[in-house]
Structures are given as structure tokens and as C-alpha cells.
Amino acid sequence: MERVEFSLADGSAVIKRLRMVEAFRWIPQKLTCHIALAVSIAWLPLLVLTAYQGAALGDTVQVPFLVDMVQYARFLVALPCAIALGQYVNPRLASVLNSFLKGNIVREKDRPCFEAAIVQAKALRSSVVVELIILALVYLYMSLRLHRESSSDISSWHYVRHGASISATAADWWFLWVSMPLLLFAWFLWAWRLGVWAYLLFRISRLDLRVVATHPDRTGGLGFVQVGMRRFSVLVFAISSILCASIGEEIVFSGATLRSYELDLAVFFLICLAVILGPLMIFTPTLIRSKLAYWGRYGQFAGNYVQGFDDKWGQADDRRHSPLGSPDIQSLADLRHSYAGISEMRIVLPNRTTVGIFAIAYVVPAIPLLASVISFREVLSEVYSLLLK
């Protein structure tokens, strides 16, 4: 069977077009070079400019650049994660699509529709128009200053106070129009890619899938789909890093308490689950139909079988033959096992293990934050109660 090739992230279509121009052929193609170049553009100039202005360290401002935890999380954690994630998830997602074929879940008659959906997803993923729209939205977002910053009552490397007046620094200008747009473009692009993947799964779910309710994975043989989504936990880790760093600054510099951010942390985690795992819910109607169909089919078959079994072994007066070792008993046990499998079949793909992996990715960046306000033993207790209770 021919293997399907697919990659959700194959670099930026805009950058690929720029490389065709002589002036931009210097842009590297290796992943490590991409990350180094992005960090050099986003973070390094901020360091140089704040050092020149005397706001990188020292007591000139309350939040010097090298003490600003949020910028480490944004440009040294989240940005590299967004760039590197493609090579991490592409093989797994391609494996998911090929599993539909290898497991005969997509029937041969539906294969042309399956392949057409993949071709359309590739076209959407590589759309230059979409990336230009995303870039425009990024600069609109920055012009409206919707990004989260530390409290305005705290002086930072972003601006300098001259008596009652406040003036933005050169570092703040670079931050607003170069560093943050680069970060947001990478992340908005991933939001689009997740939408493309959700659309592809939707197209696949509309096919006449062969979902077997008695499959041992308890999801009709579709368990591989939610397993393939686990690598997106890297996104959750990066988002949590930024959120926890922002909350940490509020605690350190504004005197806020961690308790006041419990709702924020919980809501952000639920949003992450909804965005990444929510698209898997499109298979729920298929799973429900399969479960009901198998219940009806096996229910009728089981009723006929147990009645025949009862007539042969329960009602008969002939005791000359012992039921021990009878294949009828073994068949009855197999039938009961299959019927129990139908009853235990889940109608939601993500299981506890998948949610737990996302929870761990979300909690890990919060451990230093928790340790800054409570003891290490209490940190372990909080993590244990979050994940296991």
C-alpha cells in the first residue's frame, strides 16, 4: 500500500518565496540556524539596546531586561518551541494519516476523497495569502497593545521616566515592532495550522469509516489519533512558560499572591485542551453510531446464542455428555467479552493518559513559580493533588 506523505509545518511560505529573491537567499534552511537567527533577531538586540541605555541590569529601573523573566520565556523558550515543533509533530501526524489506511479504517472506495482532503490541507497550510493576513493581524494586535505587560506602576526597561513624563526606549520600539511580531507570527501561524489539521480530521470523519466497537483500544480502533496529538504538549509547555513567568513577575515586583491567579491558570489549561484536543470531538458522532450499531447487532446475536446454549445445556435432560471443555462454553465467554468491550467503548477519543501528558507539560513551568512562594514539599503535594486526585 502506498504511503501518504504529509507535514503540517513545512516552514513559512512567505520565507520560502523570499528565498527566491537574490537579496534573501542568505536565509538559512537548517532548523538550528532558523532558531539561532530568530533568537538573534528577537532577543539579542534587546540585550544590546538595554545595555547601552543602562537598563539591562542595575537599579536604574525596577525591572531590568536581564531580570525580566517574561522575555526569557517568550524569546528563549516559546519562540524556539514554535520553530522546532514542526519537525517534532510532522512524523507523528503523518503516521496518524497512514494508520487510517493500514488499519483499513478508510475503505478503498473512500481513498480518493481521503487523498483529496490531504491535498487541500497541504494547500491551506502553504498559503502565502493566509500568512500575509496573519502578519497584518499581528501588527494590528501590537498597535492596539493587547499583549500582556507588567504593571504600569513599575518602571522597566520598556520606558524611562523623566519626572512626570514617560518616554519609550529604543529597546521598547524594537520589542513592539520586531521581537513580538516575530513571536506572534510564529504562534498565530500554529493556530492556523491547528485549524487546518482540525479541518482535515473533519473531512476524514465524514467518510464511511470502518470503526469496530469491539476493538481493544476502546475507541473503535481510532486510539492512534489521540496518541498522535500528544506531541502538541510542547505548545502547552511554551504557553505555560510565558504565563508563569508573567505571574512570577507580578508576585515579585507587585506583591501579588499566587492564589489570586489560580483561576487564570485553570482557565488557560482548559483553553489549551479545548484548542488542541477539542477537534478530536468530531469523531464522537462516528463512535456513537458504531457503538449503537454494534450493540444492536451483537445484542440480537447474543440473544440467539445464549438461548441456544440454554436449550442445549440448561434445559436438556440428556446428561450423558459433560459440558467440561465444550467449545460452546468458550464461545459464550468470548461473546461475553466482546459485548463487554462494546459497553466499555468510549465515545470521546482523548483518554486520561493524554490529558495527563498535557497537564504535566502545563505544570512543569509552574514548579519554580510554586517553589518561590511555598516549600518544595508543598510543591510536590500540589502537583500530586492536581494530577492524581
Side-chain angles (χ1 to χ4, degrees):
M1 182 177 293
E2 186 179 352
R3 180 178 174 83
V4 173
E5 299 296 333
F6 180 79
S7 61
L8 186 62
D10 191 24
S12 167
V14 170
I15 292 177
K16 286 182 177 180
R17 293 293 181 90
L18 287 176
R19 282 203 194 98
M20 297 179 183
V21 181
E22 184 68 30
F24 294 97
R25 287 184 179 176
W26 59 269
I27 299 176
Q29 297 187 23
K30 291 184 178 180
L31 177 63
T32 52
C33 295
H34 277 178
I35 295 174
L37 180 62
V39 171
S40 298
I41 294 174
W43 190 80
L44 205 55
L46 296 179
L47 175 62
V48 173
L49 291 171
T50 52
Y52 177 76
Q53 296 162 356
L57 275 177
D59 54 2
T60 306
V61 292
Q62 291 176 268
V63 187
F65 177 72
L66 290 177
V67 181
D68 193 342
M69 296 178 287
V70 177
Q71 310 318 321
Y72 290 106
R74 282 171 173 164
F75 305 123
L76 300 184
V77 177
L79 182 58
C81 283
I83 296 172
L85 183 60
Q87 290 197 10
Y88 184 59
V89 302
N90 282 340
R92 183 60 61 85
L93 298 186
S95 177
V96 168
L97 295 178
N98 281 282
S99 294
F100 278 105
L101 299 177
K102 291 179 181 178
N104 295 317
I105 295 174
V106 172
R107 304 175 192 272
E108 192 63 31
K109 65 181 179 65
D110 289 329
R111 176 150 185 169
C113 295
F114 179 77
E115 293 176 347
I118 293 176
V119 170
Q120 186 175 8
K122 289 180 179 179
L124 291 172
R125 173 210 66 193
S126 305
S127 173
V128 175
V129 174
V130 168
E131 291 193 11
L132 291 176
I133 292 174
I134 290 174
L135 194 59
L137 291 175
V138 164
Y139 277 101
L140 176 62
Y141 180 90
M142 292 307 301
S143 64
L144 296 176
R145 288 184 174 268
L146 298 176
H147 61 287
R148 183 171 183 173
E149 295 182 24
S150 57
S151 173
S152 59
D153 297 331
I154 303 173
S155 62
S156 71
W157 58 271
H158 285 280
Y159 47 82
V160 176
R161 292 181 181 273
H162 300 284
S165 64
I166 300 175
S167 60
T169 63
D172 183 64
W173 183 92
W174 188 272
F175 171 82
L176 286 174
W177 303 112
V178 179
S179 300
M180 277 298 288
L182 180 60
L183 173 69
L184 291 175
F185 177 76
W187 278 84
F188 283 13
L189 192 56
W190 267 110
W192 168 252
R193 289 166 176 167
L194 284 171
V196 171
W197 177 248
Y199 175 70
L200 177 56
L201 292 181
F202 173 78
R203 291 280 301 274
I204 294 172
S205 71
R206 300 301 94 186
L207 302 177
D208 183 21
L209 302 178
R210 189 169 185 266
V211 178
V212 181
T214 55
H215 197 284
D217 71 355
R218 297 183 180 180
T219 51
L222 296 177
F224 62 87
V225 181
Q226 57 103 14
V227 172
M229 299 295 289
R230 291 175 182 174
R231 292 196 175 186
F232 283 107
S233 58
V234 174
L235 287 178
V236 176
F237 172 82
I239 292 172
S240 178
S241 298
I242 297 175
L243 178 61
C244 292
S246 180
I247 293 174
E249 283 196 356
E250 294 292 336
I251 292 173
V252 173
F253 296 109
S254 299
T257 62
L258 183 59
R259 293 289 181 185
S260 62
Y261 290 99
E262 286 182 344
L263 181 60
D264 293 41
L265 289 168
V267 168
F268 265 83
F269 179 63
L270 293 177
I271 291 174
C272 290
L273 289 183
V275 171
I276 299 175
L277 297 181
L280 298 181
M281 297 298 292
I282 61 179
F283 288 101
T284 294
T286 301
L287 294 172
I288 292 175
R289 286 194 299 268
S290 177
K291 186 169 185 173
L292 293 177
Y294 270 76
W295 248 340
R297 197 182 312 163
Y298 269 69
Q300 182 178 1
F301 175 76
N304 294 334
Y305 186 89
V306 296
Q307 288 175 8
F309 183 90
D310 185 65
D311 291 341
K312 181 175 181 180
W313 298 107
Q315 305 297 330
D317 294 330
D318 187 0
R319 303 301 184 197
R320 289 177 298 175
H321 302 289
S322 172
L324 295 177
S326 170
D328 293 339
I329 296 179
Q330 181 61 46
S331 298
L332 181 63
D334 293 340
L335 182 61
R336 180 177 296 136
H337 180 73
S338 297
Y339 197 81
I342 299 172
S343 300
E344 294 170 0
M345 177 185 177
R346 303 196 317 271
I347 59 173
V348 176
L349 280 185
N351 58 15
R352 291 183 180 180
T353 301
T354 298
V355 175
I357 289 172
F358 279 85
I360 291 172
Y362 191 77
V363 168
V364 166
I367 291 178
L369 179 62
L370 294 171
S372 67
V373 293
I374 56 179
S375 69
F376 183 70
R377 178 176 294 181
E378 290 175 316
V379 170
L380 293 179
S381 176
E382 290 283 346
V383 173
Y384 172 80
S385 62
L386 176 64
L387 297 180
L388 301 180
K389 288 188 178 181

